[in-house]
Amino acid sequence: MITPRSGSVVFQNIKKQFGAFTAIHDLSLTIEPGQLVTLLGPSGCGKTTTLRMLAGLEHPSSGKILIGGKDVTMLPANERDVSMVFQSYALFPHMSSLDNVAYGLESSGLKKKEAREKAEEGLKLVGLAGMGGRLPAELSGGQQQRVAVARALVLEPQVLLLDEPLSNLDARLRRQVRTEIRELQQRLGFTAVYVTHDQDEALAVSDRIVIMKDGVIAQEGSPRDLYEAPASAFIADFMGEANVVSCDVISVDGADATIRIAGLEHRVPSRNAKPGPAKLAVRPNSITLEPASGAAYPGQITHAAYLGDHVEYEVETSTGRLFVVDPAVERALAPATEVAIGFKGRGIAIING
Amino acid sequence: MDHRNRRLDIVLGIGIAAFLLVPWYRIEGGFLGFGWFSGFPSEASVTPGILQILEYGRWWLTIPALIMAAAVAARFLRDPMQRGAVLAAAGAAGVLFLTLQGLAIGFSGWSWTISETLFGALADGQPSMGAGAVLSAVAFVLIFSFGLAERGVMKGDAFVVASIAMLVFLVAIFVFYPVGSMLVGAFQDFDGSFNPDGFTRNIQDNSIWSLGCVVGGERCGVAWRTLWLALMTAGGSTIMGLAFALVATRTRFPFKKGLRLLTVLPIITPPFVIGLALTLLFGRAGVITEWMSSLFGIEPGRWLYGLTGIWIAQVLSFTPISFLVLIGVVEGVSPSMEEASQTLRADRWRTFWRVSLPLMKPGIANAFLIGFIESMADFGNPLVLGGSHGVLSTEIFFAVVGSQNDPSRAAVLAIILLCFTLTAFLAQRYWLSGKNFATVTGKGDSGAHIALPRPVSIAVHAMVIPWMVFTIVIYGMILFGGFVKTWGLDNSLTLDHYARAFSVEMRDGALAWTGVAWNSFWTTIEIALISAPLTAAVGLLTAYLIVRQKFAGRNVFEFALMMSFAIPGTVIGISYIMAFNLPPLEMTGTALILIACFVFRNMPVGVRGGVAAMSQLDKSLDEASLTLRATSFRTIRKVILPLLRPAITAALVYSFVRAITSISAVIFLVSAEYNMATSYIVGLVENGEYGVAIAYSSMLIVVMIVVIAGFQLLVGERRLRRENRVAGVTTTPSLTLGQEKTA
């Protein structure tokens, strides 16, 4: 029986430099046992470096890393109780999938026979029973991915690391495999750290998401928190596109605040805002457009693109250019149409930066 | 901590054993003879380190013993960082001190006056280092590496740290120490004392630097003659190589397969064989000379013996190498460039001169520099054909073995030769690096190379066809020459030469190898078989470290290793006998020195091949293996090596064959007990026994063809099986082989 353990992970003031370049500035992060935490961010933000430091493939320049409460900062990769699924899967091309899965077990000192039995079990776990004799080149992309997951899981690590595990799959398969990974993680209850640059993927699989930018944590929280209450314009834009509009906070009363844009007042969640000038993140599908001229908040369509189930507009307004997604395909508006801008009740958040 | 302690315990055990259980100093009869068993441990010459201190007054050995004790004590420290620091310090101090005492104290006492004035005279000196000293040095290097690994150096990977440390240690001993000794030797007298007279006398010697030939009159100095020859050879072989490459890729020449076969020739031909064949054709008693004299009454001359003859032999020998380099370049020019040029209304002539040729320029320059280094380093051909008009490499040899026996002169000549080749090497590395336009991208580069312009096509055919015929005739002579009784005098066919060299008899029911060649033949095969796997192992390990590990000084490390390749064999030979003839390390006359010489001279090819093959292996394969709990040693064994099979085979074949064919360094290092085939053949030539020499040479060529064909068969099979498993790993072994041949 394969029963991965669930260890906690603690990063304490981690700093990582490559020569003169600082990849990670003072990162501190705690991951609770049994959670799937995603490191999300644009390329070059340090998310993969963080994962590799956890695996032991890079060593931090300063700071401490604890896995399951044990200091592993100086331990080499092969002495750490974690295992990793690589972006390229990194299946050994000269070994059958069974040998691939058994490899780590044999490295850990298991007898060849036991290792093979356990490897069989691992393949069964990911739905590849009976495929053990195939070489990686004889498997489809999705099957290779599953072999990679099985190879990591049979070691029953305290933490499973996944480095962009879906990026080599086509779009259709990606959705299916991410569901499988999440389902497996919840069934076996192991701790997992997942790196991706795709926010949809992050939203779909994570217990918590850590967004990184330029080597620091930009925001950390549940998928819902991050989407609905982004801390900055960067996060609002990264977690699904957002328009950032200047506004004035008129009054705050408990959970709600009243704000004014272009002379119109709206009520939005307050999120500790103080009265005064502020920024507002507005999701493209939270903006309504009505054909009208001389409206209170007027705009003019400069560009329209019909995309089947929705229409995308660019609208020039007094507060800048807005990007709008409108599901009303039946009344697609032509460029140069004058419109009145309105806001829906949700998808709007005051941000502090 | 468990296995850290285990590996440390093993090494500390070795370190303690080095002081207690094996003779500290060199055993005259050889350590592996175990003749020392009888006298051990009481006799002074075979006593272990600890008794050397206690009984024989070698007090300076207490210091490494104490350092070893400190390392043993450090093993029980709790704090890993502290423990690592102490271990690293002890290891470094141990290695340093052992080196220092080895250099400072010779047979009869202090080697340096400064230490004598500091510490007072010693009653007794010490012999060369033996098993104990060497073992303890190795143990110190490992202790040093484990200490660093425990401090988290190289991500705490002890195997990697230890490999780097050991390689640096070995390269320092077998490349830098000898070359350094040679440089020092230039300033020393016979007794080892400092005396710059020899250097100043030789460096200004007119026979080296004279420019007589330019101002008319006397001959030029040997340095200028060698330089001139090298430039001519490089030019000649590059032009011929380019012509061959163009014929092979851009024409409809019917014998392209045959052209490809040419590339194997330089690898399997002992370097002096071409010169030998030329004497059979054009020498005083050569076929063509006699024919000309009887037909046209042309007086047989000695024109072959001198720079002209050497030049012809070298161009013949090195054209295949330059062909090998240039065929990659010519093929590498993207056809789409040429097609683009044609769509831009350029005709074939303009396309060739304005697009194709400029794109090949860096490759051509590279071939030129390789030809230059080859010619400089060539020893076999000048030895056979040089006569009294020697070049640097042969002058070095005669300065040591000849009647003059002037080590200082040999050292000075070697330094001059080294300067020439290193300049070319540096030019190749820095000036040409990053200037390669011949791009083979992963993208499907469709299209075909255009045909050559007509005049160029005629010209290259006019060069290639006679040259091919000439090469065939030369090799025909080599194979045929062994069956002729006395060349030029009695041309009747005979098997005598083969019988003399390779006869086998049944005596008393046992097989007796009565031929004169068997002794050197079996020695050669034995040494080649021992050194080939070592060379491949060291080369590929180095390649792994260079490609896969990032460490401070990696570029210097790589540079130092590759540089050992630009050191001509004669220089290596002379520096080895200068360095390893006296304490602290005495190896002349043993098989060990031959093996060390082969390993460190041929290793760079393994490195090149390994680097090329390994850069095509996805790095995440290693990382995956590491995260799957495998050590880097297991990773190499289970993942990297199986995927590198073609590169390994290439390295094995190359180092095996090179060990058989090389002569330049070997001729200095052979002894009566360990004579190599090539130096034996040269001896035959010097005695005028051409028949046997030729017979032996063709035998060697046949043996090597069999070996290469056998390996090629094995590799070919491999490649079929793993065709689509790792895209692009299949490198052509012959290419990496040939590019790097220096005699």
Side-chain angles (χ1 to χ4, degrees):
Chain A
M1 190 55 206
I2 291 161
T3 47
R5 289 152 301 151
S6 49
S8 63
V9 173
V10 179
F11 288 93
Q12 280 176 7
N13 305 98
I14 289 295
K15 193 172 172 191
K16 175 66 184 172
Q17 284 173 307
F18 294 105
F21 170 70
T22 307
I24 304 287
H25 306 266
D26 194 31
L27 177 125
S28 293
L29 176 67
T30 303
I31 295 171
E32 302 294 333
Q35 284 204 328
L36 193 156
V37 173
T38 300
L39 303 178
L40 176 67
S43 58
C45 71
K47 56 188 192 299
T48 299
T49 306
T50 308
L51 191 77
R52 289 169 59 85
M53 285 195 288
L54 190 52
L57 298 171
E58 307 282 354
H59 279 193
S61 308
S62 65
K64 261 187 179 182
I65 299 175
L66 290 89
I67 296 173
K70 189 183 154 216
D71 184 353
V72 298
T73 318
M74 279 309 174
L75 281 187
N78 55 320
E79 294 175 30
R80 294 195 183 187
D81 200 5
V82 297
S83 51
M84 180 152 165
V85 176
F86 286 78
Q87 182 170 12
S88 61
Y89 314 144
L91 296 178
F92 305 129
H94 57 301
M95 298 182 194
S96 69
S97 32
L98 188 70
D99 287 339
N100 262 287
V101 180
Y103 183 85
L105 297 165
E106 284 175 36
S107 301
S108 335
L110 243 65
K111 291 263 159 38
K112 203 171 176 104
K113 192 162 161 282
E114 294 168 51
R116 291 186 148 254
E117 279 166 12
K118 195 145 189 186
E120 292 275 11
E121 237 179 276
L123 284 176
K124 202 153 67 180
L125 190 70
V126 295
L128 288 178
M131 307 277 256
R134 303 238 188 134
L135 290 171
E138 296 162 342
L139 297 171
S140 71
Q143 288 170 328
Q144 291 180 17
Q145 213 270 353
R146 289 191 222 173
V147 174
V149 171
R151 185 174 73 172
L153 274 182
V154 289
L155 293 177
E156 304 178 345
Q158 294 200 36
V159 185
L160 181 71
L161 311 177
L162 301 117
D163 184 12
E164 309 230 1
L166 306 183
S167 62
N168 278 339
L169 299 175
D170 60 51
R172 233 173 258 273
L173 207 52
R174 219 174 277 180
R175 189 184 304 264
Q176 182 197 335
V177 173
R178 84 181 180 208
T179 318
E180 282 171 12
I181 290 179
R182 177 61 165 163
E183 194 268 336
L184 199 63
Q185 186 263 337
Q186 289 189 321
R187 182 151 57 91
L188 302 178
F190 54 84
T191 313
V193 182
Y194 190 111
V195 160
T196 181
H197 63 267
D198 182 321
Q199 38 90 18
D200 279 345
E201 210 175 302
L203 290 171
V205 299
S206 316
D207 289 311
R208 293 181 75 74
I209 297 177
V210 177
I211 300 190
M212 298 185 65
K213 189 194 179 202
D214 299 332
V216 292
I217 294 178
Q219 194 180 355
E220 185 195 339
S222 69
R224 201 183 183 103
D225 285 346
L226 291 182
Y227 191 80
E228 293 185 352
S232 65
F234 164 76
I235 289 172
D237 199 41
F238 196 77
M239 298 297 295
E241 283 170 284
N243 297 289
V244 178
V245 186
S246 302
C247 69
D248 281 309
V249 179
I250 300 170
S251 63
V252 178
D253 100 67
D256 284 341
T258 307
I259 56 157
R260 183 162 53 211
I261 300 176
L264 291 180
E265 292 188 358
H266 305 271
R267 284 185 72 74
V268 296
S270 67
R271 300 189 52 220
N272 308 325
K274 293 187 187 70
K279 292 254 194 277
L280 202 63
V282 187
R283 297 284 170 207
N285 59 6
S286 297
I287 300 175
T288 60
L289 301 176
E290 291 301 329
S293 49
Y297 187 2
Q300 188 180 32
I301 293 177
T302 55
H303 188 84
Y306 172 76
L307 289 168
D309 63 344
H310 67 272
V311 188
E312 291 180 0
Y313 296 105
E314 275 177 28
V315 187
E316 197 66 56
T317 72
S318 58
T319 54
R321 181 169 291 189
L322 295 180
F323 175 63
V324 180
V325 170
D326 189 353
V329 285
E330 62 285 351
R331 53 124 230 224
L333 301 167
T337 312
E338 302 274 332
V339 289
I341 312 274
F343 293 118
K344 291 179 187 165
R346 48 172 192 81
I348 302 175
I350 302 175
I351 53 178
N352 309 317
Chain B
M1 217 57 189
D2 280 354
H3 65 277
R4 292 182 174 202
N5 276 337
R6 203 180 62 198
R7 71 185 181 220
L8 189 60
D9 288 345
I10 293 173
V11 167
L12 288 173
I14 292 174
I16 295 169
F19 280 91
L20 298 183
L21 297 180
V22 286
W24 183 262
Y25 290 116
R26 180 168 187 269
I27 310 290
E28 216 43 63
F31 178 79
L32 288 179
F34 290 104
W36 51 275
F37 248 49
S38 55
F40 190 80
S42 53
E43 260 174 52
S45 60
V46 301
T47 216
I50 190 79
L51 290 181
Q52 295 283 8
I53 302 171
L54 299 176
E55 302 274 320
Y56 299 97
R58 302 228 155 87
W59 53 266
W60 56 90
L61 296 181
T62 15
I63 299 173
L66 285 179
I67 296 173
M68 189 62 80
V72 174
R75 180 214 174 288
F76 300 99
L77 282 177
R78 277 292 153 115
D79 178 24
M81 290 306 269
Q82 205 184 357
R83 174 169 123 151
V86 176
L87 287 175
V95 174
L96 276 180
F97 184 81
L98 277 181
T99 317
L100 208 61
Q101 63 89 21
L103 291 174
I105 304 173
F107 268 130
S108 49
W110 292 111
S111 320
W112 304 325
T113 38
I114 176 155
S115 42
E116 183 141 356
T117 46
L118 275 178
F119 300 104
L122 286 174
D124 192 10
Q126 60 180 352
S128 303
M129 292 190 180
V134 171
L135 263 189
S136 67
V138 169
F140 278 130
V141 172
L142 292 177
I143 289 170
F144 169 74
S145 328
F146 291 167
L148 286 186
E150 284 183 23
R151 289 182 61 81
V153 173
M154 299 307 303
K155 297 171 197 152
D157 196 323
F159 172 75
V160 172
V161 184
S163 305
I164 295 173
M166 279 313 286
L167 278 175
V168 170
F169 182 64
L170 289 174
V171 169
I173 291 180
F174 289 109
V175 180
F176 290 103
Y177 170 59
V179 174
S181 310
M182 184 195 72
L183 295 181
V184 173
F187 297 95
Q188 275 180 341
D189 244 341
F190 284 104
D191 58 354
S193 61
F194 176 75
N195 181 0
D197 292 354
F199 181 79
T200 39
R201 174 166 41 83
N202 280 309
I203 197 79
Q204 296 165 351
D205 190 344
N206 214 30
S207 71
I208 300 177
W209 296 112
S210 155
L211 276 170
C213 56
V214 183
V215 293
E218 294 280 308
R219 277 195 289 148
C220 269
V222 64
W224 299 122
R225 271 186 289 141
T226 311
L227 182 65
W228 172 242
L229 173 69
L231 289 173
M232 290 303 292
T233 300
S237 59
T238 305
I239 291 170
M240 291 309 300
L242 184 63
F244 273 90
L246 288 174
V247 166
T249 55
R250 314 258 167 140
T251 63
R252 277 178 297 189
F253 191 64
F255 306 111
K256 286 185 185 174
K257 278 254 168 72
L259 281 185
R260 297 272 177 172
L261 269 184
L262 267 183
T263 59
V264 191
L265 292 181
I267 307 172
I268 58 168
T269 313
F272 45 81
V273 166
I274 301 278
L276 211 52
L278 281 178
T279 55
L280 298 187
L281 277 176
F282 300 110
R284 295 259 297 172
V287 186
I288 293 187
T289 315
E290 298 214 324
W291 187 56
M292 296 291 267
S293 114
S294 63
L295 273 185
F296 307 107
I298 298 172
E299 192 63 15
R302 296 188 56 83
W303 62 272
L304 185 69
Y305 301 95
L307 288 194
T308 327
I310 305 175
W311 180 70
I312 296 175
Q314 288 190 340
V315 173
L316 272 169
S317 309
F318 304 143
T319 294
I321 298 174
S322 126
F323 170 55
L324 208 57
V325 174
L326 285 170
I327 196 163
V329 174
V330 171
E331 275 177 342
V333 172
S334 164
S336 50
M337 305 265 182
E338 291 171 352
E339 284 175 351
S341 164
Q342 281 182 301
T343 61
L344 294 168
R345 314 225 170 112
D347 57 11
R348 279 201 257 168
W349 180 257
R350 190 175 157 81
T351 301
F352 180 75
W353 289 105
R354 297 291 299 276
V355 176
S356 315
L357 203 60
L359 284 174
M360 296 172 197
K361 253 185 202 158
I364 294 173
N366 191 23
F368 184 87
L369 287 174
I370 291 174
F372 181 87
I373 297 180
E374 297 281 354
S375 164
M376 279 272 169
D378 186 22
F379 177 77
N381 288 316
L383 189 67
V384 175
L385 291 173
S388 55
H389 306 249
V391 293
L392 281 172
S393 56
T394 49
E395 289 288 305
I396 294 171
F397 178 63
F398 291 123
V400 198
V401 302
S403 50
Q404 38 180 329
N405 192 5
D406 184 351
S408 168
R409 179 178 166 82
V412 169
L413 290 169
I415 290 168
I416 295 168
L417 181 56
L418 194 58
C419 287
F420 280 132
T421 54
L422 282 186
T423 311
F425 172 71
L426 290 176
Q428 189 192 4
R429 222 177 140 83
Y430 290 108
W431 177 51
L432 284 181
S433 70
K435 282 202 188 162
N436 193 2
F437 301 126
T439 45
V440 181
T441 57
K443 293 181 213 156
D445 208 359
S446 59
H449 289 295
I450 58 165
L452 290 173
R454 208 169 169 73
V456 178
S457 174
I458 293 171
V460 294
H461 277 96
M463 286 198 278
V464 163
I465 294 170
W467 201 250
M468 261 183 101
V469 173
F470 192 35
T471 307
I472 292 167
V473 169
I474 291 276
Y475 277 87
M477 294 302 293
I478 297 166
L479 293 177
F480 179 66
F483 296 102
V484 172
K485 201 157 228 168
T486 312
W487 197 264
L489 295 176
D490 178 0
N491 285 344
S492 55
L493 295 182
T494 173
L495 279 174
D496 285 355
H497 301 310
Y498 280 92
R500 207 166 106 66
F502 295 108
S503 61
V504 178
E505 273 174 32
M506 293 297 287
R507 273 188 204 152
D508 313 326
L511 212 56
W513 307 93
T514 46
V516 291
W518 286 119
N519 184 17
S520 59
F521 181 79
W522 290 125
T523 310
T524 305
I525 297 289
E526 184 190 331
I527 291 196
L529 280 179
I530 296 174
S531 59
L534 286 175
T535 313
V538 174
L540 292 171
L541 181 63
T542 311
Y544 168 79
L545 295 175
I546 288 174
V547 177
R548 287 297 207 253
Q549 305 291 339
K550 281 181 245 149
F551 51 93
R554 182 180 60 167
N555 286 333
V556 179
F557 179 70
E558 187 196 355
F559 179 79
L561 286 174
M562 297 320 278
M563 194 185 72
S564 71
F565 207 82
I567 305 176
T570 11
V571 177
I572 283 281
I574 186 84
S575 60
Y576 267 42
I577 51 172
M578 282 186 164
F580 299 123
N581 209 14
L582 285 172
L585 288 168
E586 212 180 319
M587 296 197 294
T588 44
T590 63
L592 196 62
I593 196 168
L594 287 167
I595 293 169
C597 172
F598 288 138
V599 168
F600 288 93
R601 270 185 65 62
N602 298 332
M603 172 189 68
V605 179
V607 176
R608 279 279 167 90
V611 165
M614 220 172 290
S615 352
Q616 284 168 320
L617 282 186
D618 190 354
K619 194 171 186 223
S620 62
L621 288 175
D622 310 23
E623 293 179 342
S625 172
L626 282 183
T627 60
L628 292 168
R629 316 278 190 273
T631 59
S632 34
F633 181 67
R634 185 174 151 89
T635 305
I636 290 180
R637 199 166 54 90
K638 288 282 193 179
V639 177
I640 297 180
L641 286 187
L643 292 173
L644 283 188
R645 259 195 192 126
I648 298 170
T649 323
L652 277 176
V653 174
Y654 180 84
S655 38
F656 179 75
V657 168
R658 290 280 299 152
I660 293 181
T661 58
S662 72
I663 173 78
S664 50
V666 166
I667 203 160
F668 293 90
L669 304 176
V670 291
S671 51
E673 193 180 347
Y674 294 102
N675 201 0
M676 299 285 282
T678 45
S679 64
Y680 185 76
I681 296 175
V682 166
L684 289 172
V685 173
E686 282 174 343
N687 294 339
E689 294 185 61
Y690 287 95
V692 184
I694 289 273
Y696 199 167
S697 302
S698 15
M699 187 69 167
L700 282 185
I701 292 178
V702 170
V703 166
M704 282 180 287
I705 288 175
V706 169
V707 168
I708 291 182
F711 271 115
Q712 210 76 12
L713 229 62
L714 282 175
V715 183
E717 213 179 334
R718 281 284 166 209
R719 209 174 289 169
L720 284 179
R721 273 192 54 212
R722 16 169 284 127
E723 197 163 35
N724 48 11
R725 288 198 226 156
V726 190
V729 182
T730 48
T731 47
T732 44
S734 61
L735 200 100
T736 42
L737 287 180
Q739 270 173 352
E740 297 290 351
K741 181 182 183 277
T742 35

